[in-house]
Amino acid sequence: QVQLVESGGGLVQAGGSLRLSCAASSRYAMGWFRQAPGKEREFVAAISWWGSTIEYSHSVKGRFTISRDNAKNTVYLQMNSLKPEDTAVYYCAASTVVSGYVPPTDKYNYWGQGTQVTVSS
């Protein structure tokens, strides 16, 4: 059974930084998604099994950095220059069907419980 445990959310002022962590029960291709109130869940960033392939959404590219520590089976999302529009529940997700590249958004089959990120203006 795949287990994903997220941490690191919180309240921060605009322009500030937060780092999210997602500890997995094993190594998987991983992604971060977010869902703001009244909006659909959207892709944020993803990293392949080895970490050799990374993708970002246009809205976060240049501000967020995804990385992984395979010794700890943990994926991180460093979020800098945060904006109020980044406010959302952030979810990490794992794909057990894709490993060598960034999974398509419909190939994530396990999800964390979510962590709230609130950016005040």
Side-chain angles (χ1 to χ4, degrees):
Q1 180 71 18
V2 176
Q3 294 183 330
L4 303 173
V5 179
E6 299 144 346
S7 61
L11 172 65
V12 65
Q13 288 187 333
S17 299
L18 283 174
R19 188 177 81 156
L20 305 182
S21 300
C22 178
S25 51
S26 188
R27 188 190 301 183
Y28 309 101
M30 301 286 292
W32 286 98
F33 293 76
R34 66 187 182 186
Q35 187 167 21
K39 295 187 177 181
E40 294 187 354
R41 186 171 59 197
E42 65 171 351
F43 168 78
V44 175
I47 188 167
S48 61
W49 195 76
W50 279 109
S52 56
T53 305
I54 289 174
E55 290 185 5
Y56 297 97
S57 69
H58 291 299
S59 61
V60 307
K61 197 169 187 178
R63 300 188 297 123
F64 291 11
T65 302
I66 189 171
S67 61
R68 66 186 306 148
D69 182 340
N70 286 336
K72 298 180 179 179
N73 291 333
T74 299
V75 174
Y76 304 97
L77 185 68
Q78 178 66 43
M79 306 185 294
N80 298 329
S81 301
L82 283 161
K83 304 175 182 179
E85 50 264 43
D86 294 317
T87 295
V89 177
Y90 283 70
Y91 298 90
C92 70
S95 174
T96 61
V97 297
V98 171
S99 60
Y101 53 94
V102 167
T105 54
D106 63 342
K107 298 299 182 185
Y108 292 91
N109 47 347
Y110 290 93
W111 296 83
Q113 80 282 3
T115 186
Q116 177 71 46
V117 171
T118 303
V119 184
S120 63
S121 57

mmCIF file of all heavy atoms in Angstrom, residues 19-56:
data_model
loop_
_atom_site.group_PDB
_atom_site.id
_atom_site.type_symbol
_atom_site.label_atom_id
_atom_site.label_comp_id
_atom_site.label_asym_id
_atom_site.label_seq_id
_atom_site.Cartn_x
_atom_site.Cartn_y
_atom_site.Cartn_z
ATOM 1 N N ARG A 19 8.322 25.535 2.387
ATOM 2 C CA ARG A 19 8.760 24.291 1.772
ATOM 3 C C ARG A 19 7.829 23.175 2.196
ATOM 4 O O ARG A 19 7.672 22.915 3.392
ATOM 5 C CB ARG A 19 10.199 23.946 2.156
ATOM 6 C CG ARG A 19 10.730 22.753 1.352
ATOM 7 C CD ARG A 19 12.165 22.421 1.642
ATOM 8 N NE ARG A 19 12.327 21.642 2.854
ATOM 9 C CZ ARG A 19 13.365 20.847 3.092
ATOM 10 N NH1 ARG A 19 14.328 20.744 2.192
ATOM 11 N NH2 ARG A 19 13.449 20.195 4.238
ATOM 12 N N LEU A 20 7.252 22.533 1.225
ATOM 13 C CA LEU A 20 6.411 21.371 1.480
ATOM 14 C C LEU A 20 7.228 20.099 1.332
ATOM 15 O O LEU A 20 8.130 20.033 0.496
ATOM 16 C CB LEU A 20 5.232 21.335 0.503
ATOM 17 C CG LEU A 20 4.351 22.577 0.437
ATOM 18 C CD1 LEU A 20 3.196 22.337 -0.540
ATOM 19 C CD2 LEU A 20 3.840 22.979 1.791
ATOM 20 N N SER A 21 6.883 19.108 2.133
ATOM 21 C CA SER A 21 7.530 17.801 2.051
ATOM 22 C C SER A 21 6.468 16.731 1.866
ATOM 23 O O SER A 21 5.348 16.870 2.368
ATOM 24 C CB SER A 21 8.317 17.506 3.330
ATOM 25 O OG SER A 21 9.322 18.467 3.562
ATOM 26 N N CYS A 22 6.840 15.692 1.163
ATOM 27 C CA CYS A 22 5.958 14.542 0.988
ATOM 28 C C CYS A 22 6.796 13.290 1.164
ATOM 29 O O CYS A 22 7.636 12.972 0.302
ATOM 30 C CB CYS A 22 5.297 14.573 -0.379
ATOM 31 S SG CYS A 22 4.224 13.148 -0.711
ATOM 32 N N ALA A 23 6.562 12.600 2.265
ATOM 33 C CA ALA A 23 7.280 11.361 2.545
ATOM 34 C C ALA A 23 6.469 10.189 2.023
ATOM 35 O O ALA A 23 5.284 10.030 2.366
ATOM 36 C CB ALA A 23 7.513 11.219 4.040
ATOM 37 N N ALA A 24 7.097 9.396 1.169
ATOM 38 C CA ALA A 24 6.411 8.254 0.563
ATOM 39 C C ALA A 24 6.925 6.949 1.163
ATOM 40 O O ALA A 24 8.010 6.900 1.749
ATOM 41 C CB ALA A 24 6.633 8.267 -0.946
ATOM 42 N N SER A 25 6.134 5.912 0.984
ATOM 43 C CA SER A 25 6.496 4.599 1.531
ATOM 44 C C SER A 25 7.547 3.911 0.665
ATOM 45 O O SER A 25 8.188 2.947 1.113
ATOM 46 C CB SER A 25 5.263 3.714 1.657
ATOM 47 O OG SER A 25 4.533 3.687 0.438
ATOM 48 N N SER A 26 7.727 4.400 -0.559
ATOM 49 C CA SER A 26 8.759 3.878 -1.440
ATOM 50 C C SER A 26 9.055 4.945 -2.499
ATOM 51 O O SER A 26 8.577 6.072 -2.385
ATOM 52 C CB SER A 26 8.299 2.571 -2.084
ATOM 53 O OG SER A 26 9.363 1.962 -2.791
ATOM 54 N N ARG A 27 9.868 4.565 -3.502
ATOM 55 C CA ARG A 27 10.224 5.556 -4.506
ATOM 56 C C ARG A 27 9.257 5.479 -5.683
ATOM 57 O O ARG A 27 9.015 4.406 -6.235
ATOM 58 C CB ARG A 27 11.649 5.326 -5.010
ATOM 59 C CG ARG A 27 12.134 6.444 -5.901
ATOM 60 C CD ARG A 27 13.437 6.087 -6.583
ATOM 61 N NE ARG A 27 14.498 5.791 -5.640
ATOM 62 C CZ ARG A 27 15.744 5.511 -6.021
ATOM 63 N NH1 ARG A 27 16.044 5.499 -7.313
ATOM 64 N NH2 ARG A 27 16.669 5.248 -5.135
ATOM 65 N N TYR A 28 8.736 6.667 -6.058
ATOM 66 C CA TYR A 28 7.791 6.759 -7.183
ATOM 67 C C TYR A 28 8.052 8.034 -7.952
ATOM 68 O O TYR A 28 8.654 8.972 -7.427
ATOM 69 C CB TYR A 28 6.340 6.794 -6.681
ATOM 70 C CG TYR A 28 5.991 5.700 -5.728
ATOM 71 C CD1 TYR A 28 5.941 5.949 -4.359
ATOM 72 C CD2 TYR A 28 5.710 4.410 -6.178
ATOM 73 C CE1 TYR A 28 5.622 4.946 -3.467
ATOM 74 C CE2 TYR A 28 5.397 3.404 -5.286
ATOM 75 C CZ TYR A 28 5.363 3.679 -3.932
ATOM 76 O OH TYR A 28 5.057 2.679 -3.059
ATOM 77 N N ALA A 29 7.570 8.105 -9.183
ATOM 78 C CA ALA A 29 7.458 9.397 -9.844
ATOM 79 C C ALA A 29 6.391 10.176 -9.080
ATOM 80 O O ALA A 29 5.346 9.624 -8.714
ATOM 81 C CB ALA A 29 7.049 9.220 -11.299
ATOM 82 N N MET A 30 6.675 11.454 -8.819
ATOM 83 C CA MET A 30 5.827 12.203 -7.903
ATOM 84 C C MET A 30 5.414 13.537 -8.516
ATOM 85 O O MET A 30 6.140 14.123 -9.313
ATOM 86 C CB MET A 30 6.577 12.484 -6.605
ATOM 87 C CG MET A 30 7.044 11.245 -5.870
ATOM 88 S SD MET A 30 5.703 10.386 -5.072
ATOM 89 C CE MET A 30 5.267 11.578 -3.808
ATOM 90 N N GLY A 31 4.286 14.018 -8.050
ATOM 91 C CA GLY A 31 3.833 15.328 -8.477
ATOM 92 C C GLY A 31 3.189 16.096 -7.344
ATOM 93 O O GLY A 31 2.815 15.511 -6.316
ATOM 94 N N TRP A 32 3.113 17.383 -7.523
ATOM 95 C CA TRP A 32 2.377 18.262 -6.608
ATOM 96 C C TRP A 32 1.224 18.895 -7.388
ATOM 97 O O TRP A 32 1.406 19.354 -8.530
ATOM 98 C CB TRP A 32 3.267 19.368 -6.043
ATOM 99 C CG TRP A 32 4.236 18.902 -5.015
ATOM 100 C CD1 TRP A 32 5.556 18.585 -5.201
ATOM 101 C CD2 TRP A 32 3.983 18.718 -3.627
ATOM 102 N NE1 TRP A 32 6.126 18.203 -4.020
ATOM 103 C CE2 TRP A 32 5.190 18.285 -3.020
ATOM 104 C CE3 TRP A 32 2.857 18.877 -2.809
ATOM 105 C CZ2 TRP A 32 5.291 18.007 -1.659
ATOM 106 C CZ3 TRP A 32 2.963 18.608 -1.455
ATOM 107 C CH2 TRP A 32 4.170 18.175 -0.896
ATOM 108 N N PHE A 33 0.079 18.927 -6.761
ATOM 109 C CA PHE A 33 -1.116 19.562 -7.308
ATOM 110 C C PHE A 33 -1.682 20.490 -6.237
ATOM 111 O O PHE A 33 -1.310 20.387 -5.070
ATOM 112 C CB PHE A 33 -2.169 18.500 -7.676
ATOM 113 C CG PHE A 33 -1.750 17.614 -8.824
ATOM 114 C CD1 PHE A 33 -0.819 16.610 -8.646
ATOM 115 C CD2 PHE A 33 -2.305 17.783 -10.079
ATOM 116 C CE1 PHE A 33 -0.429 15.784 -9.692
ATOM 117 C CE2 PHE A 33 -1.933 16.967 -11.145
ATOM 118 C CZ PHE A 33 -0.995 15.973 -10.940
ATOM 119 N N ARG A 34 -2.566 21.369 -6.647
ATOM 120 C CA ARG A 34 -3.216 22.239 -5.665
ATOM 121 C C ARG A 34 -4.664 22.487 -6.075
ATOM 122 O O ARG A 34 -5.005 22.396 -7.254
ATOM 123 C CB ARG A 34 -2.469 23.562 -5.525
ATOM 124 C CG ARG A 34 -2.488 24.457 -6.764
ATOM 125 C CD ARG A 34 -1.578 25.658 -6.552
ATOM 126 N NE ARG A 34 -1.605 26.565 -7.704
ATOM 127 C CZ ARG A 34 -0.811 27.622 -7.809
ATOM 128 N NH1 ARG A 34 0.080 27.905 -6.860
ATOM 129 N NH2 ARG A 34 -0.902 28.402 -8.877
ATOM 130 N N GLN A 35 -5.461 22.791 -5.069
ATOM 131 C CA GLN A 35 -6.867 23.101 -5.311
ATOM 132 C C GLN A 35 -7.280 24.264 -4.440
ATOM 133 O O GLN A 35 -7.236 24.165 -3.214
ATOM 134 C CB GLN A 35 -7.753 21.888 -5.054
ATOM 135 C CG GLN A 35 -9.196 22.110 -5.459
ATOM 136 C CD GLN A 35 -9.994 20.823 -5.509
ATOM 137 O OE1 GLN A 35 -9.619 19.820 -4.899
ATOM 138 N NE2 GLN A 35 -11.095 20.829 -6.240
ATOM 139 N N ALA A 36 -7.663 25.347 -5.080
ATOM 140 C CA ALA A 36 -8.155 26.519 -4.383
ATOM 141 C C ALA A 36 -9.675 26.409 -4.235
ATOM 142 O O ALA A 36 -10.325 25.695 -5.003
ATOM 143 C CB ALA A 36 -7.789 27.785 -5.150
ATOM 144 N N PRO A 37 -10.249 27.104 -3.262
ATOM 145 C CA PRO A 37 -11.702 27.036 -3.060
ATOM 146 C C PRO A 37 -12.456 27.421 -4.326
ATOM 147 O O PRO A 37 -12.169 28.440 -4.949
ATOM 148 C CB PRO A 37 -11.943 28.050 -1.941
ATOM 149 C CG PRO A 37 -10.659 28.111 -1.201
ATOM 150 C CD PRO A 37 -9.591 27.933 -2.241
ATOM 151 N N GLY A 38 -13.404 26.567 -4.699
ATOM 152 C CA GLY A 38 -14.222 26.854 -5.862
ATOM 153 C C GLY A 38 -13.564 26.593 -7.198
ATOM 154 O O GLY A 38 -14.150 26.886 -8.244
ATOM 155 N N LYS A 39 -12.355 26.056 -7.160
ATOM 156 C CA LYS A 39 -11.630 25.801 -8.417
ATOM 157 C C LYS A 39 -11.281 24.329 -8.536
ATOM 158 O O LYS A 39 -11.274 23.594 -7.554
ATOM 159 C CB LYS A 39 -10.358 26.651 -8.482
ATOM 160 C CG LYS A 39 -10.612 28.148 -8.534
ATOM 161 C CD LYS A 39 -9.329 28.900 -8.772
ATOM 162 C CE LYS A 39 -9.581 30.392 -8.900
ATOM 163 N NZ LYS A 39 -8.313 31.150 -9.154
ATOM 164 N N GLU A 40 -10.973 23.932 -9.757
ATOM 165 C CA GLU A 40 -10.569 22.558 -9.978
ATOM 166 C C GLU A 40 -9.121 22.363 -9.539
ATOM 167 O O GLU A 40 -8.330 23.308 -9.495
ATOM 168 C CB GLU A 40 -10.707 22.198 -11.457
ATOM 169 C CG GLU A 40 -12.154 22.183 -11.948
ATOM 170 C CD GLU A 40 -12.273 21.665 -13.358
ATOM 171 O OE1 GLU A 40 -11.226 21.415 -14.002
ATOM 172 O OE2 GLU A 40 -13.406 21.496 -13.827
ATOM 173 N N ARG A 41 -8.789 21.125 -9.240
ATOM 174 C CA ARG A 41 -7.405 20.814 -8.900
ATOM 175 C C ARG A 41 -6.525 21.039 -10.119
ATOM 176 O O ARG A 41 -6.898 20.690 -11.242
ATOM 177 C CB ARG A 41 -7.312 19.363 -8.436
ATOM 178 C CG ARG A 41 -5.950 18.951 -7.918
ATOM 179 C CD ARG A 41 -6.014 17.587 -7.297
ATOM 180 N NE ARG A 41 -6.474 16.583 -8.238
ATOM 181 C CZ ARG A 41 -6.930 15.381 -7.881
ATOM 182 N NH1 ARG A 41 -7.002 15.066 -6.602
ATOM 183 N NH2 ARG A 41 -7.298 14.522 -8.797
ATOM 184 N N GLU A 42 -5.351 21.632 -9.885
ATOM 185 C CA GLU A 42 -4.444 21.912 -10.987
ATOM 186 C C GLU A 42 -3.043 21.386 -10.701
ATOM 187 O O GLU A 42 -2.606 21.315 -9.555
ATOM 188 C CB GLU A 42 -4.380 23.424 -11.262
ATOM 189 C CG GLU A 42 -3.801 24.249 -10.146
ATOM 190 C CD GLU A 42 -3.566 25.699 -10.548
ATOM 191 O OE1 GLU A 42 -3.691 26.031 -11.742
ATOM 192 O OE2 GLU A 42 -3.243 26.500 -9.646
ATOM 193 N N PHE A 43 -2.369 21.063 -11.757
ATOM 194 C CA PHE A 43 -0.997 20.586 -11.693
ATOM 195 C C PHE A 43 -0.065 21.724 -11.297
ATOM 196 O O PHE A 43 -0.227 22.860 -11.763
ATOM 197 C CB PHE A 43 -0.602 20.021 -13.058
ATOM 198 C CG PHE A 43 0.863 19.743 -13.216
ATOM 199 C CD1 PHE A 43 1.423 18.604 -12.643
ATOM 200 C CD2 PHE A 43 1.683 20.604 -13.911
ATOM 201 C CE1 PHE A 43 2.771 18.331 -12.789
ATOM 202 C CE2 PHE A 43 3.027 20.353 -14.064
ATOM 203 C CZ PHE A 43 3.571 19.211 -13.496
ATOM 204 N N VAL A 44 0.920 21.408 -10.450
ATOM 205 C CA VAL A 44 1.905 22.400 -10.041
ATOM 206 C C VAL A 44 3.297 22.017 -10.532
ATOM 207 O O VAL A 44 3.962 22.800 -11.209
ATOM 208 C CB VAL A 44 1.912 22.564 -8.511
ATOM 209 C CG1 VAL A 44 3.023 23.514 -8.075
ATOM 210 C CG2 VAL A 44 0.558 23.051 -8.009
ATOM 211 N N ALA A 45 3.743 20.824 -10.177
ATOM 212 C CA ALA A 45 5.100 20.395 -10.540
ATOM 213 C C ALA A 45 5.188 18.890 -10.425
ATOM 214 O O ALA A 45 4.394 18.266 -9.714
ATOM 215 C CB ALA A 45 6.138 21.059 -9.648
ATOM 216 N N ALA A 46 6.168 18.313 -11.116
ATOM 217 C CA ALA A 46 6.355 16.870 -11.051
ATOM 218 C C ALA A 46 7.811 16.522 -11.290
ATOM 219 O O ALA A 46 8.555 17.283 -11.919
ATOM 220 C CB ALA A 46 5.461 16.165 -12.066
ATOM 221 N N ILE A 47 8.197 15.352 -10.791
ATOM 222 C CA ILE A 47 9.576 14.895 -10.911
ATOM 223 C C ILE A 47 9.568 13.397 -11.159
ATOM 224 O O ILE A 47 8.781 12.659 -10.562
ATOM 225 C CB ILE A 47 10.372 15.282 -9.637
ATOM 226 C CG1 ILE A 47 11.863 14.986 -9.803
ATOM 227 C CG2 ILE A 47 9.799 14.591 -8.398
ATOM 228 C CD1 ILE A 47 12.719 15.644 -8.717
ATOM 229 N N SER A 48 10.440 12.952 -12.042
ATOM 230 C CA SER A 48 10.481 11.542 -12.375
ATOM 231 C C SER A 48 11.157 10.737 -11.270
ATOM 232 O O SER A 48 11.677 11.283 -10.293
ATOM 233 C CB SER A 48 11.233 11.333 -13.698
ATOM 234 O OG SER A 48 12.572 11.797 -13.576
ATOM 235 N N TRP A 49 11.149 9.453 -11.425
ATOM 236 C CA TRP A 49 11.647 8.511 -10.410
ATOM 237 C C TRP A 49 13.076 8.808 -9.996
ATOM 238 O O TRP A 49 13.420 8.800 -8.815
ATOM 239 C CB TRP A 49 11.531 7.112 -11.003
ATOM 240 C CG TRP A 49 11.637 5.977 -10.050
ATOM 241 C CD1 TRP A 49 10.680 5.531 -9.175
ATOM 242 C CD2 TRP A 49 12.746 5.087 -9.905
ATOM 243 N NE1 TRP A 49 11.134 4.423 -8.491
ATOM 244 C CE2 TRP A 49 12.406 4.124 -8.923
ATOM 245 C CE3 TRP A 49 13.998 5.009 -10.508
ATOM 246 C CZ2 TRP A 49 13.267 3.100 -8.537
ATOM 247 C CZ3 TRP A 49 14.851 3.981 -10.108
ATOM 248 C CH2 TRP A 49 14.488 3.050 -9.139
ATOM 249 N N TRP A 50 13.934 9.080 -11.011
ATOM 250 C CA TRP A 50 15.325 9.367 -10.705
ATOM 251 C C TRP A 50 15.576 10.851 -10.441
ATOM 252 O O TRP A 50 16.659 11.212 -9.996
ATOM 253 C CB TRP A 50 16.221 8.924 -11.869
ATOM 254 C CG TRP A 50 16.501 7.457 -11.848
ATOM 255 C CD1 TRP A 50 16.022 6.517 -12.705
ATOM 256 C CD2 TRP A 50 17.345 6.749 -10.930
ATOM 257 N NE1 TRP A 50 16.496 5.263 -12.373
ATOM 258 C CE2 TRP A 50 17.319 5.385 -11.301
ATOM 259 C CE3 TRP A 50 18.114 7.138 -9.829
ATOM 260 C CZ2 TRP A 50 18.028 4.404 -10.600
ATOM 261 C CZ3 TRP A 50 18.827 6.161 -9.138
ATOM 262 C CH2 TRP A 50 18.778 4.813 -9.520
ATOM 263 N N GLY A 51 14.593 11.663 -10.780
ATOM 264 C CA GLY A 51 14.787 13.098 -10.621
ATOM 265 C C GLY A 51 15.394 13.751 -11.839
ATOM 266 O O GLY A 51 15.732 14.934 -11.798
ATOM 267 N N SER A 52 15.536 12.997 -12.929
ATOM 268 C CA SER A 52 16.186 13.531 -14.119
ATOM 269 C C SER A 52 15.253 14.373 -14.966
ATOM 270 O O SER A 52 15.709 15.161 -15.809
ATOM 271 C CB SER A 52 16.747 12.389 -14.968
ATOM 272 O OG SER A 52 15.718 11.463 -15.285
ATOM 273 N N THR A 53 13.959 14.217 -14.783
ATOM 274 C CA THR A 53 12.976 14.987 -15.556
ATOM 275 C C THR A 53 12.055 15.719 -14.599
ATOM 276 O O THR A 53 11.530 15.132 -13.655
ATOM 277 C CB THR A 53 12.138 14.059 -16.454
ATOM 278 O OG1 THR A 53 13.015 13.283 -17.273
ATOM 279 C CG2 THR A 53 11.222 14.879 -17.347
ATOM 280 N N ILE A 54 11.885 17.001 -14.849
ATOM 281 C CA ILE A 54 11.062 17.862 -13.996
ATOM 282 C C ILE A 54 10.184 18.725 -14.892
ATOM 283 O O ILE A 54 10.623 19.179 -15.950
ATOM 284 C CB ILE A 54 11.947 18.749 -13.091
ATOM 285 C CG1 ILE A 54 12.617 17.903 -12.008
ATOM 286 C CG2 ILE A 54 11.149 19.884 -12.476
ATOM 287 C CD1 ILE A 54 13.628 18.658 -11.161
ATOM 288 N N GLU A 55 8.983 18.969 -14.433
ATOM 289 C CA GLU A 55 8.079 19.871 -15.137
ATOM 290 C C GLU A 55 7.377 20.786 -14.143
ATOM 291 O O GLU A 55 7.148 20.399 -13.000
ATOM 292 C CB GLU A 55 7.033 19.084 -15.939
ATOM 293 C CG GLU A 55 7.613 18.347 -17.139
ATOM 294 C CD GLU A 55 6.547 17.682 -17.987
ATOM 295 O OE1 GLU A 55 5.351 17.853 -17.709
ATOM 296 O OE2 GLU A 55 6.928 16.966 -18.945
ATOM 297 N N TYR A 56 7.044 21.976 -14.598
ATOM 298 C CA TYR A 56 6.326 22.951 -13.780
ATOM 299 C C TYR A 56 5.161 23.521 -14.583
ATOM 300 O O TYR A 56 5.215 23.618 -15.812
ATOM 301 C CB TYR A 56 7.237 24.109 -13.370
ATOM 302 C CG TYR A 56 8.406 23.734 -12.509
ATOM 303 C CD1 TYR A 56 9.663 23.528 -13.056
ATOM 304 C CD2 TYR A 56 8.248 23.587 -11.133
ATOM 305 C CE1 TYR A 56 10.740 23.185 -12.266
ATOM 306 C CE2 TYR A 56 9.329 23.242 -10.328
ATOM 307 C CZ TYR A 56 10.569 23.045 -10.902
ATOM 308 O OH TYR A 56 11.631 22.691 -10.117
#
